[in-house]
Every structure is written in structure tokens, then in C-alpha cells.
Amino acid sequence: MIADNPHGIGPAEREPEEPSATSAPWDLSPSRHLRYKEVLMHKSDQYRVADTRTATAQPLHRLLRSAMVLPVVAALTGVLVVTASGNDHTSASRRAASAAESAMGNSASTSLDRISAAAMSRDVKPVKDNQLVYAESLIRENTGAFGGPVGLGALHTYEVWTVQGSAPTSTTGWIRETGKDAVMPGERIPIVATAPVRAGLDHPTYKWLDTLPTDPEDLRTLLYAQTEPWGSLSEDETVFRNVGELLGSTIMPPATASALYKVVERIPGVTVIPDTVDAAGRHGIGITRKDPGSATRDEWIFNKNTLAYLGSRSYMTADKRTGVAADTLYGINAVMERGVVDSPGEVPASTEG
């Protein structure tokens, strides 16, 4: 287990704020739309995902959160227009906020340097093509009614088995959820793409990760070249989230992991949260980024001592333009185990990475 406190969920989460009816851009990666499309199509033909283009464009492979954010999307339906005057008080406030953000950015750079060095020092056994990477997480998702306020559901278990190998494949893995508020609890559901998928950002295998440049600037150039921004997100934010998608369910070569954190260090606007908590109640350092084109932000959590990745938190962000008064938590997870297995449904006897 990769856990400081694997037996309890720790302190209760703050009650999420009820979002106001507003207008805001929504920003899900194409693959995030697919997890619950696949799940619900297995369950009933009455469920559909509106944008079918995403189903053909991307496979399902990540910890996708469409079902937990859809009620939030429905809440963002009105329109607010805010006009700010450029008085001295406002200008002073902006200068103070800019200075504070700059200080947090410097702190984030220091933290990411340490996280990168810690990743490089880890001993990771390579994963074979005929094996699967297994990851088990504790998650809480938005279970609020469509069109209603955010409501975090019960803590439950989420498992994913990711197929390795270099050949294109239509089945990139399997997922299983168990516990209260789980989707189709106890059923192992195949992750199926509409066309064979090669190893890459949309199907990250150990071997593919091992082929990436380990020079941070070369890796940064490659990631930006392969990045197509999601919706209204900036290119910087899309790269940030692409890296975040890799953290929870892959096993990475140490040099690759180290270089990825160096790339994140170079992304403008990345800041540090000195203390945050994952779904298992473990406290850690948070790394986050707020994008002007986004109604949400993700926060990665790292152990304060070992600097290992613990989990993440996802927020609707406070914004006068959208009427959201305070950051509202709509999802949280904690990686509890990660390892290598030989077949789907198998759980590792020991952990890796």
C-alpha cells in the first residue's frame, strides 16, 4: 500500500458550496466524457452522451469524472455580466494578488524540484508488455441531481487495470467500483474504444512512457506539440491536466516521472498549496493551477515527507463572472495501491512504483 493512514478517511470534508446558476466554460478532456458513457451504456440504453465525436476520437483509460461533474454543468446555465471599475483600490488589490501569486509560484518551483528529485530516486521495476498495471483508489464523486447543487457521495473503491504492450488495442483496460455510490458496484467493466488505440497520451503504457525524452525541455517541446487544447482551456492548462491524468494510474520510469515534474515547473501559473488532504485523510503538499478559461481546477497532492503522489482534489472555482462565491469541491481521490498483475481482476501481492 502507498498509504500513510490506510485505515481511515480522516477528517470530514468541508460541505461543498452550492453553485449559483451561472454561465461558465466547461473543460473536460475528451476521454473523461467516455467512462460513464461506457458504464451507462452497459446498464441501460436510455443513457446517452451528447457529443458522439469524443467517442470516436478518444479511448477510455483514465480516472474519468463525467458523471460527477454533469450535475455541476447543468447548474451553470444562467448569464452574469460583471463590470469592474478601474479605481485605485481595485488596482492595489490586483497588484497585491499578483505579488502573492508570484510568491506561490516560486514556492511551487521549489516544491516541484524536490518532487522531481524524489521521483528520480525511486526504484521501479519495468512492466512487461504482457502484464497490466493495477491501481486502486478511494474516491468521492459528485452525486448531486442533474441541475442541482454539488453533493459529494460516499467514499468508495475504484480499481483500474491498464493493458500494456505496443500493438494498437480496442480494449485498453478494465474498471471496477465497489461500495456505496459506486457505479455498477462489483462489476468489472471493459474499457473499449471504437477503434484500436496505440500507446500514447490516450493509452499510457510503461514502454511508451519509457520512450519519452528525459531532458525536461525536449519533453516539454514534445508534450506541447502533441497537445490539442480541451474546449476553452489554454495550451498550458491542457498540458498540466494531461500530466495530471498520468499520475494516478500509471507506473512510470523514474527518469520520465522526474522530467514530467520539471515540465510542470515550467508551466506559467502553477502554484503550491502548503497543506491539503486526500480522500483517505492524508495531509500533503498541493500543486494546482487556475486557468482563466476554466470553470474548474485540479489539485495534486504529494506526501510531505516522501513526496510520493497521494491523490487529487477537483474544484469548481470561485469567479464573480460565474457567480461561484467560493471554490467548491466536487471530487476527491486517494491512490491506495499500485502494482503489476498478469490478468484483469487480479490484485498485486506487492506494490510497485
mmCIF file of all heavy atoms in Angstrom, residues 269-318:
data_model
loop_
_atom_site.group_PDB
_atom_site.id
_atom_site.type_symbol
_atom_site.label_atom_id
_atom_site.label_comp_id
_atom_site.label_asym_id
_atom_site.label_seq_id
_atom_site.Cartn_x
_atom_site.Cartn_y
_atom_site.Cartn_z
ATOM 1 N N GLY A 269 1.868 29.919 -14.050
ATOM 2 C CA GLY A 269 0.662 29.919 -13.234
ATOM 3 C C GLY A 269 0.510 28.766 -12.274
ATOM 4 O O GLY A 269 -0.484 28.699 -11.541
ATOM 5 N N VAL A 270 1.466 27.851 -12.228
ATOM 6 C CA VAL A 270 1.389 26.729 -11.280
ATOM 7 C C VAL A 270 1.736 27.240 -9.886
ATOM 8 O O VAL A 270 2.716 27.959 -9.704
ATOM 9 C CB VAL A 270 2.342 25.587 -11.692
ATOM 10 C CG1 VAL A 270 2.364 24.485 -10.641
ATOM 11 C CG2 VAL A 270 1.903 25.010 -13.042
ATOM 12 N N THR A 271 0.924 26.877 -8.907
ATOM 13 C CA THR A 271 1.133 27.340 -7.535
ATOM 14 C C THR A 271 1.093 26.166 -6.559
ATOM 15 O O THR A 271 0.694 25.054 -6.921
ATOM 16 C CB THR A 271 0.072 28.379 -7.124
ATOM 17 O OG1 THR A 271 -1.236 27.796 -7.244
ATOM 18 C CG2 THR A 271 0.150 29.623 -7.997
ATOM 19 N N VAL A 272 1.506 26.432 -5.319
ATOM 20 C CA VAL A 272 1.562 25.397 -4.295
ATOM 21 C C VAL A 272 0.525 25.683 -3.211
ATOM 22 O O VAL A 272 0.244 26.842 -2.885
ATOM 23 C CB VAL A 272 2.980 25.300 -3.677
ATOM 24 C CG1 VAL A 272 3.323 26.554 -2.889
ATOM 25 C CG2 VAL A 272 3.122 24.064 -2.798
ATOM 26 N N ILE A 273 -0.063 24.627 -2.678
ATOM 27 C CA ILE A 273 -0.948 24.700 -1.514
ATOM 28 C C ILE A 273 -0.167 24.052 -0.364
ATOM 29 O O ILE A 273 0.135 22.857 -0.420
ATOM 30 C CB ILE A 273 -2.259 23.921 -1.747
ATOM 31 C CG1 ILE A 273 -2.937 24.362 -3.050
ATOM 32 C CG2 ILE A 273 -3.203 24.090 -0.554
ATOM 33 C CD1 ILE A 273 -3.385 25.785 -3.081
ATOM 34 N N PRO A 274 0.185 24.795 0.683
ATOM 35 C CA PRO A 274 1.051 24.240 1.737
ATOM 36 C C PRO A 274 0.480 23.021 2.450
ATOM 37 O O PRO A 274 1.228 22.140 2.855
ATOM 38 C CB PRO A 274 1.215 25.414 2.713
ATOM 39 C CG PRO A 274 0.963 26.626 1.884
ATOM 40 C CD PRO A 274 -0.077 26.230 0.889
ATOM 41 N N ASP A 275 -0.837 22.967 2.585
ATOM 42 C CA ASP A 275 -1.436 21.819 3.274
ATOM 43 C C ASP A 275 -2.795 21.515 2.667
ATOM 44 O O ASP A 275 -3.650 22.387 2.561
ATOM 45 C CB ASP A 275 -1.598 22.105 4.771
ATOM 46 C CG ASP A 275 -2.134 20.880 5.522
ATOM 47 O OD1 ASP A 275 -1.390 19.888 5.618
ATOM 48 O OD2 ASP A 275 -3.288 20.921 5.993
ATOM 49 N N THR A 276 -2.970 20.276 2.236
ATOM 50 C CA THR A 276 -4.246 19.814 1.701
ATOM 51 C C THR A 276 -4.412 18.355 2.091
ATOM 52 O O THR A 276 -3.505 17.756 2.684
ATOM 53 C CB THR A 276 -4.290 20.022 0.176
ATOM 54 O OG1 THR A 276 -5.590 19.686 -0.312
ATOM 55 C CG2 THR A 276 -3.230 19.187 -0.538
ATOM 56 N N VAL A 277 -5.550 17.746 1.775
ATOM 57 C CA VAL A 277 -5.835 16.390 2.256
ATOM 58 C C VAL A 277 -6.496 15.570 1.161
ATOM 59 O O VAL A 277 -7.297 16.082 0.383
ATOM 60 C CB VAL A 277 -6.716 16.446 3.532
ATOM 61 C CG1 VAL A 277 -8.078 17.061 3.241
ATOM 62 C CG2 VAL A 277 -6.882 15.062 4.164
ATOM 63 N N ASP A 278 -6.119 14.291 1.073
ATOM 64 C CA ASP A 278 -6.708 13.420 0.063
ATOM 65 C C ASP A 278 -7.929 12.693 0.621
ATOM 66 O O ASP A 278 -8.337 12.921 1.770
ATOM 67 C CB ASP A 278 -5.667 12.448 -0.507
ATOM 68 C CG ASP A 278 -5.233 11.366 0.474
ATOM 69 O OD1 ASP A 278 -5.813 11.255 1.584
ATOM 70 O OD2 ASP A 278 -4.288 10.610 0.140
ATOM 71 N N ALA A 279 -8.514 11.809 -0.178
ATOM 72 C CA ALA A 279 -9.748 11.129 0.217
ATOM 73 C C ALA A 279 -9.549 10.164 1.374
ATOM 74 O O ALA A 279 -10.520 9.754 2.017
ATOM 75 C CB ALA A 279 -10.339 10.379 -0.978
ATOM 76 N N ALA A 280 -8.307 9.789 1.660
ATOM 77 C CA ALA A 280 -8.023 8.890 2.784
ATOM 78 C C ALA A 280 -7.663 9.666 4.045
ATOM 79 O O ALA A 280 -7.288 9.079 5.052
ATOM 80 C CB ALA A 280 -6.888 7.934 2.422
ATOM 81 N N GLY A 281 -7.739 10.984 3.991
ATOM 82 C CA GLY A 281 -7.419 11.802 5.153
ATOM 83 C C GLY A 281 -5.950 12.096 5.335
ATOM 84 O O GLY A 281 -5.544 12.633 6.363
ATOM 85 N N ARG A 282 -5.134 11.786 4.332
ATOM 86 C CA ARG A 282 -3.694 12.018 4.430
ATOM 87 C C ARG A 282 -3.369 13.442 4.003
ATOM 88 O O ARG A 282 -3.786 13.887 2.936
ATOM 89 C CB ARG A 282 -2.938 11.020 3.547
ATOM 90 C CG ARG A 282 -3.228 9.568 3.891
ATOM 91 C CD ARG A 282 -2.587 8.597 2.900
ATOM 92 N NE ARG A 282 -3.074 8.773 1.543
ATOM 93 C CZ ARG A 282 -2.814 7.921 0.546
ATOM 94 N NH1 ARG A 282 -2.069 6.852 0.769
ATOM 95 N NH2 ARG A 282 -3.288 8.148 -0.660
ATOM 96 N N HIS A 283 -2.638 14.153 4.838
ATOM 97 C CA HIS A 283 -2.265 15.526 4.519
ATOM 98 C C HIS A 283 -1.023 15.549 3.634
ATOM 99 O O HIS A 283 -0.146 14.686 3.744
ATOM 100 C CB HIS A 283 -2.006 16.312 5.803
ATOM 101 C CG HIS A 283 -3.263 16.690 6.511
ATOM 102 N ND1 HIS A 283 -3.793 17.956 6.472
ATOM 103 C CD2 HIS A 283 -4.124 15.929 7.256
ATOM 104 C CE1 HIS A 283 -4.912 17.977 7.172
ATOM 105 N NE2 HIS A 283 -5.136 16.764 7.665
ATOM 106 N N GLY A 284 -0.958 16.540 2.762
ATOM 107 C CA GLY A 284 0.186 16.658 1.872
ATOM 108 C C GLY A 284 0.306 18.044 1.292
ATOM 109 O O GLY A 284 -0.440 18.966 1.629
ATOM 110 N N ILE A 285 1.277 18.190 0.394
ATOM 111 C CA ILE A 285 1.509 19.429 -0.352
ATOM 112 C C ILE A 285 0.652 19.383 -1.611
ATOM 113 O O ILE A 285 0.603 18.362 -2.303
ATOM 114 C CB ILE A 285 2.994 19.547 -0.748
ATOM 115 C CG1 ILE A 285 3.897 19.540 0.480
ATOM 116 C CG2 ILE A 285 3.236 20.807 -1.581
ATOM 117 C CD1 ILE A 285 5.355 19.316 0.138
ATOM 118 N N GLY A 286 0.003 20.501 -1.936
ATOM 119 C CA GLY A 286 -0.804 20.553 -3.140
ATOM 120 C C GLY A 286 -0.130 21.339 -4.246
ATOM 121 O O GLY A 286 0.513 22.353 -4.004
ATOM 122 N N ILE A 287 -0.271 20.848 -5.470
ATOM 123 C CA ILE A 287 0.187 21.567 -6.666
ATOM 124 C C ILE A 287 -1.045 21.804 -7.528
ATOM 125 O O ILE A 287 -1.784 20.869 -7.847
ATOM 126 C CB ILE A 287 1.235 20.759 -7.459
ATOM 127 C CG1 ILE A 287 2.500 20.529 -6.625
ATOM 128 C CG2 ILE A 287 1.574 21.468 -8.772
ATOM 129 C CD1 ILE A 287 3.296 21.789 -6.313
ATOM 130 N N THR A 288 -1.291 23.073 -7.905
ATOM 131 C CA THR A 288 -2.510 23.379 -8.635
ATOM 132 C C THR A 288 -2.256 24.476 -9.662
ATOM 133 O O THR A 288 -1.177 25.087 -9.692
ATOM 134 C CB THR A 288 -3.633 23.804 -7.662
ATOM 135 O OG1 THR A 288 -4.879 23.863 -8.357
ATOM 136 C CG2 THR A 288 -3.335 25.157 -7.020
ATOM 137 N N ARG A 289 -3.258 24.712 -10.489
ATOM 138 C CA ARG A 289 -3.176 25.792 -11.478
ATOM 139 C C ARG A 289 -4.586 26.233 -11.826
ATOM 140 O O ARG A 289 -5.449 25.398 -12.097
ATOM 141 C CB ARG A 289 -2.454 25.327 -12.753
ATOM 142 C CG ARG A 289 -2.244 26.441 -13.763
ATOM 143 C CD ARG A 289 -1.527 25.955 -15.023
ATOM 144 N NE ARG A 289 -1.146 27.081 -15.860
ATOM 145 C CZ ARG A 289 -1.973 27.691 -16.709
ATOM 146 N NH1 ARG A 289 -3.218 27.253 -16.849
ATOM 147 N NH2 ARG A 289 -1.547 28.726 -17.421
ATOM 148 N N LYS A 290 -4.828 27.523 -11.804
ATOM 149 C CA LYS A 290 -6.132 28.072 -12.201
ATOM 150 C C LYS A 290 -5.987 28.720 -13.564
ATOM 151 O O LYS A 290 -5.194 29.639 -13.752
ATOM 152 C CB LYS A 290 -6.607 29.100 -11.172
ATOM 153 C CG LYS A 290 -7.889 29.832 -11.580
ATOM 154 C CD LYS A 290 -9.073 28.882 -11.675
ATOM 155 C CE LYS A 290 -10.339 29.639 -12.128
ATOM 156 N NZ LYS A 290 -10.451 29.762 -13.584
ATOM 157 N N ASP A 291 -6.762 28.214 -14.523
ATOM 158 C CA ASP A 291 -6.703 28.729 -15.885
ATOM 159 C C ASP A 291 -7.843 29.718 -16.116
ATOM 160 O O ASP A 291 -8.982 29.455 -15.730
ATOM 161 C CB ASP A 291 -6.825 27.572 -16.877
ATOM 162 C CG ASP A 291 -6.485 27.991 -18.287
ATOM 163 O OD1 ASP A 291 -5.292 28.255 -18.540
ATOM 164 O OD2 ASP A 291 -7.392 28.057 -19.142
ATOM 165 N N PRO A 292 -7.559 30.885 -16.719
ATOM 166 C CA PRO A 292 -8.613 31.870 -16.952
ATOM 167 C C PRO A 292 -9.782 31.331 -17.779
ATOM 168 O O PRO A 292 -10.911 31.799 -17.646
ATOM 169 C CB PRO A 292 -7.889 33.005 -17.698
ATOM 170 C CG PRO A 292 -6.452 32.856 -17.319
ATOM 171 C CD PRO A 292 -6.233 31.379 -17.148
ATOM 172 N N GLY A 293 -9.513 30.340 -18.630
ATOM 173 C CA GLY A 293 -10.563 29.804 -19.481
ATOM 174 C C GLY A 293 -11.307 28.635 -18.883
ATOM 175 O O GLY A 293 -12.102 27.979 -19.564
ATOM 176 N N SER A 294 -11.086 28.360 -17.596
ATOM 177 C CA SER A 294 -11.639 27.158 -16.982
ATOM 178 C C SER A 294 -12.562 27.491 -15.819
ATOM 179 O O SER A 294 -12.317 28.427 -15.065
ATOM 180 C CB SER A 294 -10.497 26.260 -16.480
ATOM 181 O OG SER A 294 -11.018 25.179 -15.735
ATOM 182 N N ALA A 295 -13.607 26.699 -15.667
ATOM 183 C CA ALA A 295 -14.514 26.831 -14.523
ATOM 184 C C ALA A 295 -14.108 25.900 -13.395
ATOM 185 O O ALA A 295 -14.759 25.865 -12.358
ATOM 186 C CB ALA A 295 -15.947 26.514 -14.950
ATOM 187 N N THR A 296 -13.046 25.124 -13.599
ATOM 188 C CA THR A 296 -12.606 24.164 -12.586
ATOM 189 C C THR A 296 -11.089 24.213 -12.444
ATOM 190 O O THR A 296 -10.388 24.758 -13.294
ATOM 191 C CB THR A 296 -13.002 22.718 -12.966
ATOM 192 O OG1 THR A 296 -12.284 22.320 -14.149
ATOM 193 C CG2 THR A 296 -14.500 22.604 -13.215
ATOM 194 N N ARG A 297 -10.607 23.626 -11.357
ATOM 195 C CA ARG A 297 -9.159 23.424 -11.223
ATOM 196 C C ARG A 297 -8.908 22.102 -10.506
ATOM 197 O O ARG A 297 -9.717 21.643 -9.694
ATOM 198 C CB ARG A 297 -8.500 24.576 -10.455
ATOM 199 C CG ARG A 297 -8.830 24.656 -8.983
ATOM 200 C CD ARG A 297 -7.999 25.726 -8.269
ATOM 201 N NE ARG A 297 -8.405 25.869 -6.877
ATOM 202 C CZ ARG A 297 -7.925 25.137 -5.875
ATOM 203 N NH1 ARG A 297 -6.997 24.213 -6.116
ATOM 204 N NH2 ARG A 297 -8.344 25.335 -4.637
ATOM 205 N N ASP A 298 -7.795 21.480 -10.834
ATOM 206 C CA ASP A 298 -7.364 20.241 -10.184
ATOM 207 C C ASP A 298 -6.198 20.539 -9.255
ATOM 208 O O ASP A 298 -5.369 21.411 -9.538
ATOM 209 C CB ASP A 298 -6.936 19.200 -11.226
ATOM 210 C CG ASP A 298 -8.110 18.652 -12.020
ATOM 211 O OD1 ASP A 298 -9.244 18.759 -11.531
ATOM 212 O OD2 ASP A 298 -7.886 18.127 -13.124
ATOM 213 N N GLU A 299 -6.129 19.801 -8.181
ATOM 214 C CA GLU A 299 -5.069 19.963 -7.179
ATOM 215 C C GLU A 299 -4.435 18.597 -6.927
ATOM 216 O O GLU A 299 -5.118 17.667 -6.512
ATOM 217 C CB GLU A 299 -5.715 20.504 -5.901
ATOM 218 C CG GLU A 299 -4.786 20.862 -4.777
ATOM 219 C CD GLU A 299 -5.586 21.480 -3.619
ATOM 220 O OE1 GLU A 299 -6.158 22.575 -3.815
ATOM 221 O OE2 GLU A 299 -5.671 20.854 -2.549
ATOM 222 N N TRP A 300 -3.147 18.468 -7.223
ATOM 223 C CA TRP A 300 -2.427 17.214 -6.981
ATOM 224 C C TRP A 300 -1.861 17.229 -5.563
ATOM 225 O O TRP A 300 -1.393 18.265 -5.086
ATOM 226 C CB TRP A 300 -1.280 17.040 -7.957
ATOM 227 C CG TRP A 300 -1.619 17.233 -9.401
ATOM 228 C CD1 TRP A 300 -2.844 17.117 -10.000
ATOM 229 C CD2 TRP A 300 -0.704 17.584 -10.454
ATOM 230 N NE1 TRP A 300 -2.756 17.372 -11.344
ATOM 231 C CE2 TRP A 300 -1.443 17.657 -11.645
ATOM 232 C CE3 TRP A 300 0.661 17.826 -10.492
ATOM 233 C CZ2 TRP A 300 -0.860 17.970 -12.875
ATOM 234 C CZ3 TRP A 300 1.249 18.144 -11.706
ATOM 235 C CH2 TRP A 300 0.493 18.208 -12.881
ATOM 236 N N ILE A 301 -1.842 16.084 -4.916
ATOM 237 C CA ILE A 301 -1.410 16.015 -3.514
ATOM 238 C C ILE A 301 -0.206 15.080 -3.396
ATOM 239 O O ILE A 301 -0.231 13.953 -3.907
ATOM 240 C CB ILE A 301 -2.553 15.513 -2.611
ATOM 241 C CG1 ILE A 301 -3.809 16.383 -2.828
ATOM 242 C CG2 ILE A 301 -2.134 15.536 -1.140
ATOM 243 C CD1 ILE A 301 -5.068 15.798 -2.222
ATOM 244 N N PHE A 302 0.827 15.551 -2.685
ATOM 245 C CA PHE A 302 2.058 14.780 -2.509
ATOM 246 C C PHE A 302 2.391 14.656 -1.020
ATOM 247 O O PHE A 302 2.218 15.610 -0.250
ATOM 248 C CB PHE A 302 3.225 15.454 -3.244
ATOM 249 C CG PHE A 302 3.041 15.529 -4.726
ATOM 250 C CD1 PHE A 302 2.342 16.583 -5.304
ATOM 251 C CD2 PHE A 302 3.541 14.535 -5.555
ATOM 252 C CE1 PHE A 302 2.149 16.659 -6.670
ATOM 253 C CE2 PHE A 302 3.353 14.602 -6.934
ATOM 254 C CZ PHE A 302 2.656 15.665 -7.494
ATOM 255 N N ASN A 303 2.873 13.487 -0.633
ATOM 256 C CA ASN A 303 3.303 13.249 0.741
ATOM 257 C C ASN A 303 4.370 14.276 1.126
ATOM 258 O O ASN A 303 5.327 14.504 0.379
ATOM 259 C CB ASN A 303 3.865 11.826 0.852
ATOM 260 C CG ASN A 303 4.261 11.454 2.251
ATOM 261 O OD1 ASN A 303 5.214 11.997 2.814
ATOM 262 N ND2 ASN A 303 3.555 10.504 2.825
ATOM 263 N N LYS A 304 4.217 14.894 2.304
ATOM 264 C CA LYS A 304 5.144 15.950 2.714
ATOM 265 C C LYS A 304 6.549 15.435 3.002
ATOM 266 O O LYS A 304 7.521 16.191 2.912
ATOM 267 C CB LYS A 304 4.600 16.663 3.954
ATOM 268 C CG LYS A 304 3.356 17.492 3.685
ATOM 269 C CD LYS A 304 2.897 18.235 4.934
ATOM 270 C CE LYS A 304 1.673 19.085 4.649
ATOM 271 N NZ LYS A 304 1.217 19.844 5.845
ATOM 272 N N ASN A 305 6.665 14.154 3.333
ATOM 273 C CA ASN A 305 7.982 13.588 3.656
ATOM 274 C C ASN A 305 8.606 12.869 2.468
ATOM 275 O O ASN A 305 9.726 13.173 2.059
ATOM 276 C CB ASN A 305 7.863 12.643 4.852
ATOM 277 C CG ASN A 305 7.417 13.366 6.106
ATOM 278 O OD1 ASN A 305 7.894 14.450 6.410
ATOM 279 N ND2 ASN A 305 6.491 12.767 6.840
ATOM 280 N N THR A 306 7.871 11.899 1.885
ATOM 281 C CA THR A 306 8.440 11.112 0.783
ATOM 282 C C THR A 306 8.259 11.795 -0.570
ATOM 283 O O THR A 306 8.930 11.440 -1.540
ATOM 284 C CB THR A 306 7.771 9.730 0.713
ATOM 285 O OG1 THR A 306 6.394 9.882 0.331
ATOM 286 C CG2 THR A 306 7.852 9.010 2.064
ATOM 287 N N LEU A 307 7.301 12.746 -0.649
ATOM 288 C CA LEU A 307 6.965 13.456 -1.881
ATOM 289 C C LEU A 307 6.362 12.539 -2.943
ATOM 290 O O LEU A 307 6.337 12.868 -4.130
ATOM 291 C CB LEU A 307 8.178 14.212 -2.433
ATOM 292 C CG LEU A 307 8.770 15.235 -1.460
ATOM 293 C CD1 LEU A 307 10.051 15.837 -2.033
ATOM 294 C CD2 LEU A 307 7.760 16.342 -1.152
ATOM 295 N N ALA A 308 5.860 11.378 -2.512
ATOM 296 C CA ALA A 308 5.144 10.483 -3.415
ATOM 297 C C ALA A 308 3.751 11.046 -3.689
ATOM 298 O O ALA A 308 3.152 11.708 -2.839
ATOM 299 C CB ALA A 308 5.030 9.093 -2.793
ATOM 300 N N TYR A 309 3.213 10.764 -4.864
ATOM 301 C CA TYR A 309 1.873 11.211 -5.230
ATOM 302 C C TYR A 309 0.836 10.475 -4.398
ATOM 303 O O TYR A 309 0.865 9.250 -4.294
ATOM 304 C CB TYR A 309 1.632 10.954 -6.717
ATOM 305 C CG TYR A 309 0.253 11.343 -7.191
ATOM 306 C CD1 TYR A 309 -0.055 12.671 -7.454
ATOM 307 C CD2 TYR A 309 -0.729 10.377 -7.385
ATOM 308 C CE1 TYR A 309 -1.322 13.038 -7.894
ATOM 309 C CE2 TYR A 309 -1.999 10.725 -7.836
ATOM 310 C CZ TYR A 309 -2.290 12.060 -8.084
ATOM 311 O OH TYR A 309 -3.552 12.406 -8.512
ATOM 312 N N LEU A 310 -0.100 11.224 -3.796
ATOM 313 C CA LEU A 310 -1.131 10.640 -2.941
ATOM 314 C C LEU A 310 -2.501 10.598 -3.595
ATOM 315 O O LEU A 310 -3.255 9.631 -3.419
ATOM 316 C CB LEU A 310 -1.245 11.423 -1.626
ATOM 317 C CG LEU A 310 -0.037 11.441 -0.700
ATOM 318 C CD1 LEU A 310 -0.336 12.307 0.524
ATOM 319 C CD2 LEU A 310 0.345 10.023 -0.281
ATOM 320 N N GLY A 311 -2.859 11.645 -4.311
ATOM 321 C CA GLY A 311 -4.196 11.720 -4.876
ATOM 322 C C GLY A 311 -4.470 13.108 -5.402
ATOM 323 O O GLY A 311 -3.548 13.889 -5.670
ATOM 324 N N SER A 312 -5.761 13.448 -5.525
ATOM 325 C CA SER A 312 -6.092 14.762 -6.075
ATOM 326 C C SER A 312 -7.446 15.236 -5.572
ATOM 327 O O SER A 312 -8.253 14.467 -5.053
ATOM 328 C CB SER A 312 -6.097 14.708 -7.608
ATOM 329 O OG SER A 312 -7.170 13.919 -8.079
ATOM 330 N N ARG A 313 -7.670 16.536 -5.738
ATOM 331 C CA ARG A 313 -8.943 17.179 -5.443
ATOM 332 C C ARG A 313 -9.351 17.992 -6.662
ATOM 333 O O ARG A 313 -8.493 18.541 -7.361
ATOM 334 C CB ARG A 313 -8.819 18.104 -4.227
ATOM 335 C CG ARG A 313 -8.433 17.403 -2.948
ATOM 336 C CD ARG A 313 -8.030 18.389 -1.854
ATOM 337 N NE ARG A 313 -9.161 19.155 -1.342
ATOM 338 C CZ ARG A 313 -9.886 18.799 -0.278
ATOM 339 N NH1 ARG A 313 -9.602 17.680 0.380
ATOM 340 N NH2 ARG A 313 -10.885 19.553 0.132
ATOM 341 N N SER A 314 -10.659 18.088 -6.924
ATOM 342 C CA SER A 314 -11.150 18.864 -8.063
ATOM 343 C C SER A 314 -12.207 19.855 -7.586
ATOM 344 O O SER A 314 -13.096 19.499 -6.819
ATOM 345 C CB SER A 314 -11.747 17.939 -9.122
ATOM 346 O OG SER A 314 -10.748 17.095 -9.660
ATOM 347 N N TYR A 315 -12.086 21.093 -8.054
ATOM 348 C CA TYR A 315 -12.943 22.178 -7.597
ATOM 349 C C TYR A 315 -13.607 22.899 -8.757
ATOM 350 O O TYR A 315 -12.999 23.088 -9.816
ATOM 351 C CB TYR A 315 -12.123 23.232 -6.856
ATOM 352 C CG TYR A 315 -11.549 22.816 -5.533
ATOM 353 C CD1 TYR A 315 -10.279 22.248 -5.457
ATOM 354 C CD2 TYR A 315 -12.259 23.018 -4.355
ATOM 355 C CE1 TYR A 315 -9.732 21.881 -4.232
ATOM 356 C CE2 TYR A 315 -11.726 22.657 -3.122
ATOM 357 C CZ TYR A 315 -10.462 22.093 -3.069
ATOM 358 O OH TYR A 315 -9.920 21.732 -1.858
ATOM 359 N N MET A 316 -14.864 23.332 -8.545
ATOM 360 C CA MET A 316 -15.391 24.459 -9.296
ATOM 361 C C MET A 316 -14.752 25.683 -8.675
ATOM 362 O O MET A 316 -14.679 25.794 -7.453
ATOM 363 C CB MET A 316 -16.909 24.553 -9.147
ATOM 364 C CG MET A 316 -17.691 23.540 -9.919
ATOM 365 S SD MET A 316 -19.469 23.826 -9.673
ATOM 366 C CE MET A 316 -19.640 25.489 -10.336
ATOM 367 N N THR A 317 -14.299 26.611 -9.482
ATOM 368 C CA THR A 317 -13.536 27.726 -8.933
ATOM 369 C C THR A 317 -14.382 28.972 -8.703
ATOM 370 O O THR A 317 -15.332 29.249 -9.440
ATOM 371 C CB THR A 317 -12.372 28.080 -9.873
ATOM 372 O OG1 THR A 317 -12.870 28.229 -11.201
ATOM 373 C CG2 THR A 317 -11.324 26.985 -9.855
ATOM 374 N N ALA A 318 -13.993 29.699 -7.657
ATOM 375 C CA ALA A 318 -14.673 30.950 -7.345
ATOM 376 C C ALA A 318 -14.431 31.955 -8.463
ATOM 377 O O ALA A 318 -13.305 32.134 -8.914
ATOM 378 C CB ALA A 318 -14.152 31.500 -6.015
#
